[in-house]
Amino acid sequence: MNWNWDHVDEFMPLFWDGVELTLKALFFGTLIAFSLGLVWAVAQRSEKKWIRWPVTVVTEFIRNTPLLVQLFFLFYVVPEWGPSMSPLTTGIVGLGLHYSTYTSEVYRAGIEGVPAGQWEAATALSLSKRRTWTSVILPQAVRRVIPALGNYVIVMLKESPQMAAIGALDMLGQAQNYSQTTFTFEAISVVGVAFIVIAYPASLLLRVLERRLVR
Amino acid sequence: MSSEFFGNWFLPGIWITVQVTFLSAALAFVIAFPIGVLRTSRLWIVRFLAGAYFEIFRSTSSLVFMFWIAFTVPPLFNISFQPMFAGVLALGITYGAYASEIVRGALAAVPPAQREAGIALNFTPMQRLRRIELPQAWPEMIPPFNNLLIELLKGTSLVSLIAVADMTFAGDLLRLVKNESAPIYTLLLALYFVFAFILTRGMRLLERHAKKRVGQTPEKTSLFGGLRAKSSIDVVSGTGGAK
């Protein structure tokens, strides 16, 4: 074994750049995943077949194909038809889109968990469809699914290194670059530890949150 | 896409994806059972160690772990191995941790009276596990295993990043050579989807079979019903955990 702390010191500034990019991607990716997921979930409960079917097919397709290939698709194929995006933007869109199909499943469970009596009560009060969703169903559904949504923030954190493959230099990307130019291995180990240091306390926090909210 | 490239890169790539999927699934499976059983142990130190294994791999990115095995372990310990070995090892160990949580959850769901019945019959702990607890827990494990297998299949695309020539790698290479991306990546996405679909269908059959054997009624399924994660909150994320 020949571990060298000098390499760790040298890598640190790059590491923080990577952390910044990871957090940016995580924040905006989460925003997309959480909001788009809700749209998918509500659309899948639509009474109109022409809304329900395409949404189901699209979400199933996204869910059952790898994020990495989707990132390649967004980065190399989409610019042929439309706008070209920076690696970071592509990463954010990719992460958000991919995990929106997972969060939609979470929302679905939350919506189905709202007692049928609540729907009936809304009908009895002759609330409009929009009112039923926004004032009765969703407030009850969303509260219950917050811990489960939180899990996906951690999952997205763990999957974000894939952005490095399209050139968005997150923690892993920086480590990879550093290691390849200096032929050392300390940087990747640092990043590995960093993930444990961030993700494990986060999951403990979620467990506390879960106990508080789901009662 | 010329047939030459297809034959030289894409078909072998598909075969490598299949190999990586099944090898790492097998490794995950082999790891999951002992770890899952140990996590129900009465000795706290055993429970703690098995739990630590789960927590560590749940909290790290499988890609970072894969890079670590592929690029850090060889120079650190002066050994060398094929990138595919590193990929399978990383995926197997990571998904083994998730799968152990499924095993633990399913074992915990077996009614305690069943264990007590085994004790009353003077079964050894091993006999109880093999003849009473596992046969009952098994049908419960299949649907979450199914979800995990899909995750694993998609996870295999990561091995392309440590230079294993799987189908994603072949696609990426083709893009560079042909300078054309739309048909390649569309085909890739379709391939992964078809594989996921076939795996899900296969696991559904297995589930029906297992449920019939223990006398439970198998559920009816629709075409897309099988693809929808049943307990995606717990399983796909690997961060929730079955009760």
Side-chain angles (χ1 to χ4, degrees), chain A residues 1-3 183-186, chain B residues 67-81:
Chain A
M1 256 208 250
N2 38 6
W3 182 276
F183 298 103
T184 55
F185 49 79
E186 285 84 355
Chain B
F67 271 74
W68 189 78
I69 291 192
F71 304 130
T72 303
V73 170
L76 204 56
F77 299 103
N78 273 323
I79 43 173
S80 72
F81 41 69

Side-chain angles (χ1 to χ4, degrees), chain A residues 2-5 7-8 179 184-191, chain B residues 72:
Chain A
N2 38 6
W3 182 276
N4 188 345
W5 283 103
H7 289 137
V8 177
S179 308
T184 55
F185 49 79
E186 285 84 355
I188 291 175
S189 310
V190 169
V191 170
Chain B
T72 303

Side-chain angles (χ1 to χ4, degrees), chain B residues 108-120:
Chain B
V110 175
Q114 293 291 325
R115 201 178 66 88
E116 287 155 17
I119 297 172

Side-chain angles (χ1 to χ4, degrees), chain A residues 1-3 44 53 56-57 60-70 72-73 76-77 80-81 98-99 102 105-106 108-109 148 151-152 154-155 157-159 161-162 165 172 176 184-185 188-189 191-192 195-196 199-200 203-204 207 210, chain B residues 55-64 67-68 71-72 75-77 95 98 150-151 153-155 157-158 160-161 168 172 175 179-182 185-186 188-190 192-193 196-197 200 224 227-230 232-233 236-240 243:
Chain A
M1 256 208 250
N2 38 6
W3 182 276
Q44 280 190 335
W53 253 92
T56 308
V57 170
E60 291 297 346
F61 189 80
I62 295 177
R63 207 206 320 272
N64 285 287
T65 49
L67 174 63
L68 182 64
V69 182
Q70 286 166 9
F72 283 146
F73 189 89
Y76 296 114
V77 179
E80 284 183 19
W81 307 318
H98 190 78
Y99 283 99
Y102 287 80
E105 212 51 28
V106 174
R108 186 179 66 92
N151 278 341
Y152 281 107
I154 301 179
V155 175
L157 166 73
K158 295 191 309 176
E159 300 302 313
Q162 294 182 32
L172 182 69
Q176 201 186 343
T184 55
F185 49 79
I188 291 175
S189 310
V191 170
F195 271 98
I196 302 184
Y200 186 58
S203 72
L204 288 184
R207 222 172 282 170
E210 199 164 344
Chain B
E55 291 293 352
I56 287 172
F57 290 101
R58 190 182 73 157
S59 299
T60 46
S61 161
S62 53
L63 183 58
V64 177
F67 271 74
W68 189 78
F71 304 130
T72 303
L76 204 56
F77 299 103
Y95 284 86
Y98 296 149
I150 305 300
E151 289 300 303
L153 167 70
K154 295 191 296 171
S157 66
L158 300 181
S160 66
L161 301 177
T168 304
D172 214 30
R175 173 181 60 79
N179 199 19
E180 186 182 32
S181 50
Y185 287 123
T186 311
L188 257 186
L189 286 172
Y192 276 105
F193 184 78
F197 199 83
T200 323
F224 274 102
L227 280 178
R228 168 163 288 155
K230 254 189 177 168
S232 56
I233 304 170
V236 176
S237 67
T239 40
K243 294 284 140 26

Side-chain angles (χ1 to χ4, degrees), chain A:
Chain A
M1 256 208 250
N2 38 6
W3 182 276
N4 188 345
W5 283 103
D6 291 345
H7 289 137
V8 177
D9 281 347
E10 210 177 50
F11 171 61
M12 268 313 172
L14 296 169
F15 173 73
W16 291 118
D17 286 350
V19 171
E20 193 192 323
L21 189 128
T22 299
L23 291 181
K24 258 188 211 161
L26 192 62
F27 179 77
F28 291 108
T30 307
L31 225 56
I32 295 179
F34 283 10
S35 39
L36 198 59
L38 189 58
V39 174
W40 295 138
V42 174
Q44 280 190 335
R45 288 190 65 95
S46 165
E47 284 155 18
K48 296 182 187 77
K49 240 187 178 162
W50 60 269
I51 296 180
R52 218 167 51 220
W53 253 92
V55 168
T56 308
V57 170
V58 167
T59 51
E60 291 297 346
F61 189 80
I62 295 177
R63 207 206 320 272
N64 285 287
T65 49
L67 174 63
L68 182 64
V69 182
Q70 286 166 9
L71 288 176
F72 283 146
F73 189 89
L74 286 172
F75 195 64
Y76 296 114
V77 179
V78 171
E80 284 183 19
W81 307 318
S84 62
M85 297 178 286
S86 75
L88 176 60
T89 316
T90 311
I92 289 170
V93 172
L95 267 182
L97 200 61
H98 190 78
Y99 283 99
S100 71
T101 62
Y102 287 80
T103 56
S104 89
E105 212 51 28
V106 174
Y107 285 121
R108 186 179 66 92
I111 292 167
E112 279 168 12
V114 175
Q118 298 288 325
W119 290 95
E120 288 156 15
T123 315
L125 291 168
S126 72
L127 295 182
S128 69
K129 216 168 230 165
R130 181 187 291 264
R131 274 301 293 281
T132 307
W133 276 109
T134 55
S135 331
V136 182
I137 305 301
L138 288 182
Q140 297 184 63
V142 169
R143 206 183 77 102
R144 311 154 68 110
V145 299
I146 287 173
L149 287 180
N151 278 341
Y152 281 107
V153 181
I154 301 179
V155 175
M156 285 168 80
L157 166 73
K158 295 191 309 176
E159 300 302 313
S160 62
Q162 294 182 32
M163 296 188 308
I166 51 166
L169 294 180
D170 72 319
M171 292 190 263
L172 182 69
Q174 295 285 6
Q176 201 186 343
N177 268 6
Y178 180 82
S179 308
Q180 276 166 0
T181 47
T182 56
F183 298 103
T184 55
F185 49 79
E186 285 84 355
I188 291 175
S189 310
V190 169
V191 170
V193 174
F195 271 98
I196 302 184
V197 170
I198 302 171
Y200 186 58
S203 72
L204 288 184
L205 198 75
L206 274 172
R207 222 172 282 170
V208 176
L209 194 70
E210 199 164 344
R211 242 170 259 157
R212 286 257 174 99
L213 282 174
V214 188
R215 247 195 297 212

Side-chain angles (χ1 to χ4, degrees), chain B residues 120-133:
Chain B
L121 288 170
N122 214 7
F123 276 16
T124 64
M126 217 37 214
Q127 280 177 320
R128 285 207 305 269
L129 193 67
R130 204 168 60 84
R131 312 187 73 143
I132 301 178
E133 290 168 39

